[in-house]
């Protein structure tokens, strides 16, 4: 019995169905990243090092020259010999996709979640173009490079309408590679303790990075007056007041206190912290993230 190869039209149809169109987020992020590259912005690259760090299983996209054939010969798989500088070329990205990030006070600007997703995707594209491995923390996979990894990240940043999102999100750095880098994007308005634990765990592993707070302009200005009902995005919190303006000073004090906490936390860990508002352009935000991964200047 012989098997004939599938017809050309059938093979092409299956391939096209597998590839599919670029997710809208990825296409938008590609365009944003391109504007930055056309502007001539770049980042210094880490130099080659020679201190051995670890062996890791070979992954799709690794060249034959990267394989350590002596180590691979002692097992059934192929292994790559990594040096410390290669760990430094790995970046873990965490974008908060919790319910609170879905807030937008104006239909003319994106939600915090949309802006966080766009910046995360565009940053991943820029980093990979520079030869760096990138991972989306929520996927639980190691940093990789290539079109397939970008597609995974884009899919991972797409909110699932069927899932019941948590009120607030929190990063988890326990699985990050030692001496790598990380970027956390969130409004950071939820409980501070999980964020402190994540930054502490990262610092203990020699991980440096950025904390980028994304806020809606209404969260910064608190323009509410008169009778107002405040309801959290997930519906778990509700507060009604007849004079919202009376809450303004207390709210702004609490917001300033939270920003100070975050800035101090970042400083103690050797990270950098900044705040971005969703009614402002995304390009300067992306530039800050991209250049900020160089570390302190």
């Amino acid at each position: 019995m012989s098997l004939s190869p599938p017809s050309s039209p059938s093979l092409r149809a299956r391939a096209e169905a597998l590839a599919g169109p670029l997710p809208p987020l990825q296409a938008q992020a590609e365009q944003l990243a391109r504007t930055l590259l056309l502007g001539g912005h770049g980042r210094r690259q880490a130099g080659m090092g020679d201190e051995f760090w670890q062996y890791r299983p070979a992954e799709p996209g690794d060249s034959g020259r990267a394989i350590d054939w002596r180590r691979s010969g002692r097992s059934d798989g192929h292994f790559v010999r990594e040096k410390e500088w290669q760990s430094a070329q790995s970046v873990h990205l965490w974008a908060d996709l919790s319910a609170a990030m879905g807030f937008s006070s104006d239909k003319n600007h994106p939600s915090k979640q949309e802006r966080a997703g766009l910046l995360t995707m565009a940053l991943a594209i820029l980093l990979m173009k520079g030869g760096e491995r990138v991972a989306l923390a929520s996927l639980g996979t190691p940093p990789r490079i290539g079109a397939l990894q970008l597609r995974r990240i884009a899919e991972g940043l797409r909110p699932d309408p069927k899932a019941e999102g948590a009120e607030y999100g929190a990063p988890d750095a326990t699985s990050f590679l030692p001496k790598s880098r990380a970027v956390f994007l969130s409004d950071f308005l939820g409980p501070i303790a999980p964020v402190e634990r994540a930054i502490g765990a990262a610092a203990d592993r020699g991980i440096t990075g950025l904390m980028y707070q994304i806020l809606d302009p209404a969260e910064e200005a608190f323009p509410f007056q008169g009778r107002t009902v405040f309801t959290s995005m997930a519906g778990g919190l509700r507060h009604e007041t007849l004079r919202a303006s009376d809450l303004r000073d207390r709210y702004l004090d609490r917001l300033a206190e939270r920003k100070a906490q975050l800035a101090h936390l970042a400083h103690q860990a050797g990270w950098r912290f900044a705040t971005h508002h969703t009614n402002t352009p995304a390009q300067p935000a992306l530039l800050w993230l991209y250049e900020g991964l160089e570390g302190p200047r």
Side-chain angles (χ1 to χ4, degrees):
M1 179 179 178
S2 63
L3 296 176
S4 59
S7 64
S8 179
S10 173
L11 182 61
R12 178 177 178 181
R14 286 161 50 199
E16 289 178 347
L18 178 64
L22 279 177
L25 174 63
Q26 186 172 347
Q28 187 180 3
E30 288 271 9
Q31 183 177 1
L32 176 59
R34 194 177 303 117
T35 62
L36 202 65
L37 291 174
L38 289 175
H41 298 289
R43 217 177 58 257
R44 297 187 301 270
Q45 297 294 319
M48 296 288 288
D50 57 7
E51 187 173 348
F52 172 73
W53 176 49
Q54 70 169 8
Y55 289 109
R56 65 166 176 83
E59 301 169 353
D62 288 327
S63 66
R65 289 180 298 178
I67 305 296
D68 188 299
W69 297 106
R70 179 175 297 180
R71 170 64 180 85
S72 301
R74 299 198 301 268
S75 63
D76 295 332
H78 291 155
F79 288 84
V80 171
R81 180 185 178 92
E82 283 195 322
K83 302 173 184 177
E84 285 201 14
W85 74 271
Q86 291 174 304
S87 176
Q89 298 299 100
S90 296
V91 183
H92 298 267
L93 306 177
W94 176 72
D96 188 352
L97 301 181
S98 65
M101 293 292 287
F103 176 67
S104 175
S105 63
D106 191 320
K107 64 181 181 180
N108 293 319
H109 56 71
S111 69
K112 296 180 290 184
Q113 187 180 93
E114 291 169 336
R115 180 54 58 86
L118 176 61
L119 291 174
T120 300
M121 192 70 218
L123 183 60
I125 291 169
L126 288 172
L127 291 170
M128 287 192 192
K129 286 183 181 296
E132 303 187 51
R133 299 181 180 90
V134 182
L136 185 64
S138 59
L139 297 179
T141 55
R144 296 189 176 99
I145 196 169
L148 180 58
Q149 181 71 345
L150 281 177
R151 184 63 176 260
R152 290 193 190 103
I153 292 173
E155 293 295 330
L157 290 169
R158 185 171 60 185
D160 184 359
K162 297 180 181 179
E164 294 184 1
E167 194 78 73
Y168 299 103
D172 181 0
T174 55
S175 63
F176 291 4
L177 292 177
K179 300 184 180 179
S180 60
R181 289 164 296 158
V183 178
F184 295 164
L185 298 97
S186 173
D187 58 11
F188 297 110
L189 296 180
I192 192 69
V195 180
E196 291 175 333
R197 287 194 295 269
I199 297 295
D204 289 343
R205 298 168 68 83
I207 299 168
T208 58
L210 311 171
M211 296 173 63
Y212 206 40
Q213 184 181 45
I214 299 177
L215 296 178
D216 184 275
E219 293 174 322
E220 190 76 64
F222 200 83
F224 309 105
Q225 296 183 359
R227 181 180 180 274
T228 306
V229 178
F230 298 97
T231 306
S232 64
M233 296 300 293
L237 302 172
R238 185 179 186 277
H239 178 74
E240 181 176 354
T241 179
L242 296 178
R243 300 181 62 180
S245 58
D246 289 351
L247 302 176
R248 187 173 187 274
D249 289 344
R250 279 184 288 168
Y251 168 82
L252 293 179
D253 286 344
R254 291 287 298 274
L255 180 61
E257 180 183 351
R258 174 54 59 91
K259 286 185 178 183
Q261 283 180 302
L262 295 168
H264 178 72
L265 181 60
H267 177 73
Q268 291 293 101
W271 285 41
R272 298 178 67 184
F273 169 77
T275 299
H276 169 73
H277 301 113
T278 56
N279 64 332
T280 61
Q283 186 173 345
L286 178 60
L287 179 60
W288 185 87
L289 292 167
Y290 185 52
E291 294 187 336
L293 285 173
E294 283 184 346
R297 294 183 175 222

